[in-house]
Amino acid sequence: MKKTAALLYPRSTAARQAVSLDGMWKFRLDTQGSGIVDGWKDGIGPADTIPVPASFQDFFTDKNSREYTGDFWYETEFFVPPERKGKSVYIRFGSVTHRGTVFVNGAEIARHEGGFLPFAADIAKRANYGGSNRLVVKGNNELSETNLPVGRTTSLPDGRKAAKPYFDFFNYSGIQRPVRLLALPKTAITDLSLIPRLNGDKAELEYAVETLVETGEEMEARLSVLDEEGRIVVEAQGAKGVLAIPNPRLWKVRDAYLYRVWARLYRNGELLDEWYEDSGLRTVEIRGTELLLNGESVYLKGFGKHEDADLIGRGYSLAHIKRDFELMKWIGANSFRTSHYPYAEEVYLMADREGFLVIDEAPAVGLFDTTNNALDTVRGKKKVPFFDKETLPELLETHLKAVQDMIARDKNHPSVIAWSLFNEPEDTSETAIPYFKAVFDAALDSDPQKRPRTFAVIMFSRPDTSKGCQFSDFICLNRYYGWYVLGGCDIDIAEQALRSELDGWKAQHLNKPFMFTEYGADTDSGLHKLPSVQWSQEYQIEALEMNHRVFDAYDFIKGEQVWAFADFQTGEGIHRLDGNKKGIFTRQRQPKAAAFYLKNRRESLPENYKSRSNI
Ligand code: BDP
């Protein structure tokens, strides 16, 4: 996406104002698909009201609203003060899922594809200064094989559309993250890149400020780095440079120290723009089978998560973000993966503050459709591997953009230690190779810090069949031995099967760290059973114990992220009991019995568990 001052995280400073437009907005499902023809861009007519931000699905009491697929419209009014005239004025959406078209006072001013990243609409030419303005957003939540996440949309006999996700989470949608009105200077900072470097007990911060400057303007960029007490530790002039940080305090796992980096733009001594990022001094590196943070080996203890909660669906909720971090601290975790899409920006800000390590995941989930292919096979059609599909070139374009935009948004967070570029793709065909190469190259090109890249490997991809693993800097395995494979009474055989798979990986001599990014068992928080059965709380503990026994036996396993942090909503079906119940916590964020077991284990493992010096 083109860099604009409005895409930077919205902060009010001496030169910028960010005003929240969140609240109750008018809302209408476009059940007849007539919104455009009927001119809803000028006002959506008789409508409901719902909270923004939130997913719209779980407020209503009828199934048609919950399962609705198609266009949906939001409307609100906002005031632009007269003194904003002559400034850049934008509306910034944290996300509109999965796509949105924005109209201000009847004129279309922006379109955006992709439901988990921000975009901004320039309203300067359309705004009514000193008066009221009408903001209308047409959202759409259809799924396809050319957009992310991947799925399809079918038509029901009565004409309704139905979303068919190729992924295991509810297709929540709407305006799910905060909306802000921004007033920004015309000559503005459009980007700031920070690269921390460590050398012995010395630390450096390389920086680059990018600006949007009207032609011929003489600008001066300045940078100030402040410590947590607000004292200036170093200052610099110029748009690029390398700063030595005196007496550096490093950003460490669960012991974060943040420097505030102010970028300022001046003309003849007059301040035109200012903006800051909180940065941490830390390095991330893969060396052999070790993941090194600040040159020290670290073992990931954590979770795969979802943005998911009662009533708000995937809606932004600071309260849930706070509670989740408290639970992760309580249980002795140090990391999580933003499965299966980039989360709200505020999640990363809290991870920066709390010293959590984040594997930041692109919304590339569902690049696998065995089930549909299986039906085709029954119907006598040839099975088409996912990466052989005709839709691939278009999907790749969407995917590359999603990766580039995710990295542009999240590149400065000290908490982000790696990019996960896919979840469980069907990576066993030769045709996956060029696709993977393009996506992995794009991530490397986009990231000033050149962080490690990876993807979560599905059960069906094995040491001898995965074509994608050659691109990963470290290997992330999603494995359900003891659940989908050899569950319940067969758990002993599952253990053997897991060991034999790991022996297979070992024999490949990849010399890379491995992490388990998913393992676990569905568990009903009300079910106890002695002896255990699948779904009981006792069995969840047994499944975790079995996995951990195996992980402990292999030195190259350098991390364990249980699936999942909390129970979450999925589409209904015979395999899901009102959602996925693999949570260690319930959807209401209370512990299942396994949480206490896991707390014990996690607290007993040192942060540098299995480091060479520790073996
Ligand atoms: C994996 C997926 C995850 C699912 C999980 C499960 O990556 O999204 O929720 O399995 O089945 O395949 O619980």
Side-chain angles (χ1 to χ4, degrees), residues 191-254:
D191 202 5
L192 171 67
S193 297
L194 300 169
I195 311 174
R197 293 214 174 82
L198 305 178
N199 185 0
D201 52 5
K202 297 208 168 45
E204 283 177 353
L205 192 62
E206 182 178 335
Y207 76 91
V209 181
E210 287 180 39
T211 48
L212 179 76
V213 171
E214 312 222 307
T215 15
E217 277 189 300
E218 285 284 316
M219 280 320 118
E220 190 198 11
R222 291 187 207 159
L223 210 84
S224 304
V225 181
L226 277 65
D227 66 15
E228 287 190 357
E229 269 72 55
R231 288 183 299 241
I232 296 176
V233 296
V234 61
E235 289 189 288
Q237 292 191 347
K240 280 179 183 189
V242 181
L243 303 176
I245 309 291
N247 309 314
R249 285 219 21 207
L250 302 192
W251 188 95
K252 297 183 180 166
V253 190
R254 300 286 303 107

Side-chain angles (χ1 to χ4, degrees), residues 167-169 306 337 339-340 361 365 423-424 456 458-459 478 480 483-484 518 522 563-564 568 570 576 580-582:
F167 48 86
D168 182 41
F169 52 89
H306 264 295
R337 176 172 62 122
S339 37
H340 296 305
E361 188 156 277
V365 55
N423 181 67
E424 301 196 336
I458 195 167
M459 190 82 197
N478 290 358
Y480 288 96
W483 187 252
Y484 297 121
E518 288 187 27
D522 280 277
W563 191 254
F568 60 91
T570 64
R576 292 289 175 257
N580 188 309
K581 299 290 184 208
K582 295 193 186 69

Side-chain angles (χ1 to χ4, degrees), residues 254-493:
R254 300 286 303 107
D255 178 18
Y257 191 88
L258 294 175
Y259 288 93
R260 182 154 294 182
V261 182
W262 277 97
R264 294 195 170 87
L265 199 60
Y266 292 89
R267 180 177 48 211
N268 301 328
E270 179 204 354
L271 178 72
L272 297 178
D273 192 12
E274 63 167 18
W275 186 75
Y276 69 83
E277 257 321 20
D278 285 335
S279 172
L281 299 174
R282 62 101 187 89
T283 56
V284 185
E285 192 192 334
I286 302 284
R287 201 181 300 149
T289 61
E290 309 231 72
L291 169 66
L292 305 179
L293 194 86
N294 304 331
E296 286 170 21
S297 180
V298 59
Y299 185 86
L300 297 191
K301 300 179 273 183
F303 295 97
K305 292 184 90 256
H306 264 295
E307 290 186 307
D308 173 277
D310 283 335
L311 304 180
I312 55 173
R314 214 166 303 301
Y316 166 82
S317 155
L318 272 181
H320 285 88
I321 295 173
K322 174 67 182 165
R323 174 70 176 176
D324 286 6
F325 273 92
E326 287 307 312
L327 291 176
M328 287 194 289
K329 290 191 300 191
W330 172 81
I331 209 165
N334 64 11
S335 65
F336 60 94
R337 176 172 62 122
T338 68
S339 37
H340 296 305
Y341 36 82
Y343 288 2
E345 290 154 292
E346 292 73 10
V347 174
Y348 304 80
L349 293 174
M350 202 171 287
D352 292 344
R353 179 68 279 159
E354 296 284 2
F356 274 83
L357 307 177
V358 178
I359 300 177
D360 201 3
E361 188 156 277
V365 55
L367 286 77
F368 200 105
D369 63 345
T370 304
T371 341
N372 311 318
N373 278 330
L375 282 179
D376 285 348
T377 317
V378 174
R379 291 192 202 107
K381 282 202 209 157
K382 198 170 158 281
K383 177 183 181 316
V384 182
F386 191 88
F387 287 94
D388 283 11
K389 285 174 173 251
E390 284 168 3
T391 41
L392 258 281
E394 220 183 308
L395 179 64
L396 177 59
E397 226 173 274
T398 319
H399 197 157
L400 293 176
K401 193 172 171 310
V403 166
Q404 287 155 349
D405 290 353
M406 170 179 80
I407 296 177
R409 190 193 71 161
D410 296 339
K411 64 185 175 189
N412 288 331
H413 289 290
S415 57
V416 174
I417 55 152
W419 310 111
S420 168
L421 305 175
F422 303 76
N423 181 67
E424 301 196 336
E426 187 181 4
D427 74 332
T428 47
S429 65
E430 287 290 329
T431 42
I433 293 175
Y435 189 106
F436 269 66
K437 182 167 182 344
V439 174
F440 274 74
D441 285 352
L444 193 66
D445 289 350
S446 314
D447 182 11
Q449 296 187 9
K450 309 293 175 210
R451 269 165 274 227
R453 300 147 303 160
T454 188
F455 72 99
V457 182
I458 195 167
M459 190 82 197
F460 309 105
S461 292
R462 296 312 190 93
D464 51 338
T465 59
S466 166
K467 301 279 190 287
C469 285
Q470 58 183 303
F471 296 102
S472 288
D473 297 311
F474 64 99
I475 312 281
C476 291
L477 299 179
N478 290 358
R479 292 295 182 268
Y480 288 96
Y481 290 97
W483 187 252
Y484 297 121
V485 178
L486 300 164
C489 291
D490 290 335
I491 194 162
D492 295 345
I493 316 173

